Amino acid sequence: MAFVRSLLGAKKILSRSTTAASAAPKGFLAVYVGESQKKRYLVPISYLNQPSFQALLSKSEEEFGFDHPMGGLTIPCPEDTFINVTSRFQR
Amino acid sequence: MSGSLMNLFSLCFKPFGHVCDNSEAGSGGGGGVSGGTGGEGKDGLLWFRDLGKYCGGDFSMAVIQANQVLEDQSQVESGNFGTFVGVYDGHGGPEAARYVCDHLFNHFREISAETQGVVTRETIERAFHATEEGFASIVSELWQEIPNLATVGTCCLVGVIYQNTLFVASLGDSRVVLGKKGNCGGLSAIQLSTEHNANNEDIRWELKDLHPDDPQIVVFRHGVWRVKGIIQVSRSIGDMYMKRPEFNKEPISQKFRIAEPMKRPLMSATPTILSHPLHPNDSFLIFASDGLWEHLTNEKAVEIVHNHPRAGSAKRLIKAALHEAARKREMRYSDLRKIDKKVRRHFHDDITVIVVFLNHDLISRGHINSTQDTTVSIRSALEH
């Protein structure tokens, strides 16, 4: 996993184990990813324009409606699915 | 193509509600108020009317869109009959809210004319009933062409100021809050509307009392209580799939279907109506769809209106709500503003706000104003 993450470019996607919600830097927002255990990622706002990212949000809409139980956007898919989708945005 | 279909399409293609403001600039009273109307404008997904005049004083109005198709509608109507304020928060599509905005006030005027303009609870209740029946007949006539109209509904929040009484009628979970001056100089927030949302325990009890034979009348699903596990509000105009068995069957989507035969309507279109004698300490009213109250407390909203100039009050409340929405989603407000509609719905709902300032001199002088025949008729004007 660490090897895969380094390929993604850590500066683009930041993963934090800390549960405390810190303010996102300008141009980024928090996304909580995972089927049961949720992991926090900071992603660029521009990802919201990507159809495949919007498809992930639609999955969230099916499960949670428009409420997001973590406060930040919550996407109930496996982490590696999320990483697969978002890695394509950076090539 | 049936007439009703054309009627519905004409609703959909109406680009703007009509805006007509004949109130006289500089008319007497209203100390400290500049004459005429404050700016009306648009800024991306936001529409606003910063300050307008109605027969009882000033009002401020604003709407921000989040859904792909705006589901909120609103209006302010004022004249020698009194004042009518409406906020209609639709769900499942825009048609019901548009229909209500087109018809409810007209029914109200027709029905009050039968009693020489006198307004009572019955006037308002009958206007709601006529509007519900009108929408139901459209759903029925278009069932073959557009069956999904049966799954469209709208919350309704109406305020009527008639002489020295404020009537508040509500269906669903929009809210009106009164800012009232205290004797010690402070301002308190008094909620004047009832909210028909299954997450309120008293509403769950009401539903269980009405449906004692149905253990599944309220179901906890996706983190919230819902009527039959489907919809959070228990009262609305529309939502015929929850009121008439002939509209809860194929071809509407499975997610709206109810397994057992419907013995009685599961949702109601009968509004809760409160009448509030206006008091000189009553300062202003904040009417808003639930998209605002999801992010601001009653007290915070009242404080914002009280501590800032009147012009732009409604817009300011929306901005405060968006700041709070951005904080919850762990992002910057400036970034939230850049998000387009549809995706925007994951951050906040459509929000409508109407702030009505109460000038008691003007309100009590209503009978004198009648000779001037001033009329205000304004609807929110975001493109559909």
Side-chain angles (χ1 to χ4, degrees), chain A residues 24 27 32 40 63 68 71, chain B residues 222 328-330 332 335 346:
Chain A
Y32 290 85
R40 185 174 184 267
E63 180 147 347
H68 288 260
Chain B
H222 291 353
K328 288 170 179 169
R329 294 284 187 259
E330 299 180 49
R332 305 292 179 90
D335 288 328
H346 282 276

Side-chain angles (χ1 to χ4, degrees), chain B residues 238 280 384:
Chain B
H384 299 281

Side-chain angles (χ1 to χ4, degrees), chain B residues 280-339:
Chain B
N281 281 6
D282 296 345
S283 185
F284 54 81
L285 297 157
I286 303 171
F287 293 83
S289 53
D290 81 310
L292 183 84
W293 307 113
E294 182 184 347
H295 298 294
L296 297 185
T297 62
N298 296 353
E299 290 72 23
K300 184 64 180 175
V302 162
E303 176 193 319
I304 289 170
V305 172
H306 181 56
N307 290 336
H308 291 89
R310 291 183 168 192
S313 288
K315 186 167 68 182
R316 200 169 291 118
L317 288 170
I318 286 183
K319 184 170 177 178
L322 295 198
H323 267 103
E324 182 60 18
R327 188 191 65 78
K328 288 170 179 169
R329 294 284 187 259
E330 299 180 49
M331 67 190 302
R332 305 292 179 90
Y333 167 76
S334 55
D335 288 328
L336 174 56
R337 290 182 61 191
K338 296 168 186 166
I339 300 176

